[in-house]
Amino acid sequence: MKIAVFVSGGGTNLQAIIDRINSGELKNVEIALVIASNDSAYALTRASDNGIPSVVMSVKSYPSREEWDDAVVAKLKEVGAELIVLAGYLSLLGAKTVKEFSNKIINIHPALIPSFCGKGMYGIKPHEAALARGVKVSGATVHLVNENYDEGPILLQKCVDILPDDTPEVLQKRIMKECEQVILPKAISLFAEGKVEIKNNIAYVKE
Ligand code: GAR
């Protein structure tokens, strides 16, 4: 299965996918392309270090959002992407991309949706909000993507306990390592095995 991975920043989730492919844990998956929203994303270096093709497609460098959306769809079709993985991608995909790849786009979010999600809730912010609210567990969610932030069907979630000395940064690191980097490769593997089913806006894992 060919996947395209969208990134905006450090690319630790991209690295987790690369590592699982290289170790043989993630079978029948090839990263056909990495698409970055900006040229300073360190994820681009991770792609080139691993011989993975990458491209920067920033909405700002197109005359309109529609033209950017068209170009993204054309690029995804050109490389034969069968699954789109948003791995720390901080922009909203275009309507055409979402429609063309309906139920074939997943996102990793650093909180237990429906808590601490939606527009503006990215990076460190969900962790700051979780600690400020005093929750006792937090974690990460892999969900299908529709045209709104963090609203598509939930596929996988994993949680960790909040510990007494947690700061947003400490919690973020723990959730990245113990939750995100576990459930994102797992979700890709479920797609590769044809085990994901969506019915009435609910995602199911077929046994
Ligand atoms: C990750 O924590 C990811 O869950 C989050 O951005 C970080 C990217 O890290 N995504 C969002 O907040 C999306 N709303 P990475 O570039 O090192 O994978």
Side-chain angles (χ1 to χ4, degrees), residues 57 59 62 64-76 92-100:
M57 297 184 86
V59 66
Y62 289 81
S64 68
R65 194 169 157 80
E66 288 67 32
E67 280 162 270
W68 163 74
D69 195 9
D70 285 344
V72 169
V73 170
K75 196 76 201 165
L76 291 169
L92 198 59
L93 285 179
K96 186 173 175 187
T97 306
V98 172
K99 194 159 174 247
E100 292 273 344

Side-chain angles (χ1 to χ4, degrees), residues 124-170:
I124 196 76
K125 292 181 186 169
H127 308 296
E128 288 170 348
L131 292 181
R133 185 64 183 84
V135 294
K136 305 306 176 219
V137 293
S138 191
T141 303
V142 175
H143 65 94
L144 279 293
V145 170
N146 63 19
E147 52 293 332
N148 302 315
Y149 280 106
D150 304 330
E151 276 190 9
I154 290 168
L155 180 59
L156 295 176
Q157 293 187 301
K158 193 166 190 299
C159 65
V160 291
D161 288 338
I162 303 294
L163 302 177
D165 293 336
D166 273 344
T167 62
E169 291 75 18
V170 168

Side-chain angles (χ1 to χ4, degrees), residues 9-13 87-90 107-110 121-123 150 176 180:
T12 56
N13 279 292
Y89 184 66
L90 303 182
N107 177 49
I108 180 81
H109 182 73
M121 271 294 174
Y122 60 86
D150 304 330
M176 283 173 132
E180 299 184 30

Side-chain angles (χ1 to χ4, degrees), residues 12-204:
T12 56
N13 279 292
L14 170 66
Q15 190 66 54
I17 300 166
I18 295 170
D19 292 347
R20 298 302 203 294
I21 292 174
N22 289 345
S23 74
E25 259 175 272
L26 198 43
K27 294 185 186 66
N28 302 320
V29 173
E30 179 200 337
I31 304 177
L33 185 66
V34 167
I35 299 185
S37 58
N38 64 85
D39 59 11
S40 56
Y42 183 69
L44 289 166
T45 305
R46 297 183 192 268
S48 71
D49 284 353
N50 287 277
I52 298 167
S54 64
V55 64
V56 179
M57 297 184 86
S58 157
V59 66
K60 284 186 214 136
S61 54
Y62 289 81
S64 68
R65 194 169 157 80
E66 288 67 32
E67 280 162 270
W68 163 74
D69 195 9
D70 285 344
V72 169
V73 170
K75 196 76 201 165
L76 291 169
K77 288 191 170 172
E78 181 192 314
V79 300
E82 295 159 272
L83 178 73
I84 294 166
V85 179
L86 308 186
Y89 184 66
L90 303 182
S91 307
L92 198 59
L93 285 179
K96 186 173 175 187
T97 306
V98 172
K99 194 159 174 247
E100 292 273 344
F101 292 88
S102 167
N103 287 341
K104 293 194 179 97
I105 310 175
I106 55 174
N107 177 49
I108 180 81
H109 182 73
L112 297 171
I113 290 175
S115 292
F116 315 121
C117 64
K119 195 168 169 24
M121 271 294 174
Y122 60 86
I124 196 76
K125 292 181 186 169
H127 308 296
E128 288 170 348
L131 292 181
R133 185 64 183 84
V135 294
K136 305 306 176 219
V137 293
S138 191
T141 303
V142 175
H143 65 94
L144 279 293
V145 170
N146 63 19
E147 52 293 332
N148 302 315
Y149 280 106
D150 304 330
E151 276 190 9
I154 290 168
L155 180 59
L156 295 176
Q157 293 187 301
K158 193 166 190 299
C159 65
V160 291
D161 288 338
I162 303 294
L163 302 177
D165 293 336
D166 273 344
T167 62
E169 291 75 18
V170 168
L171 180 60
Q172 178 183 42
K173 262 200 189 137
R174 191 158 75 253
I175 288 177
M176 283 173 132
K177 187 159 179 274
E178 295 181 21
C179 304
E180 299 184 30
Q181 293 165 22
V182 175
I183 61 173
L184 188 58
K186 170 81 186 158
I188 297 168
S189 171
L190 290 173
F191 271 93
E193 293 168 4
K195 286 190 174 169
V196 178
E197 194 173 23
I198 318 287
K199 271 194 259 166
N200 300 327
N201 217 32
I202 304 280
Y204 298 92

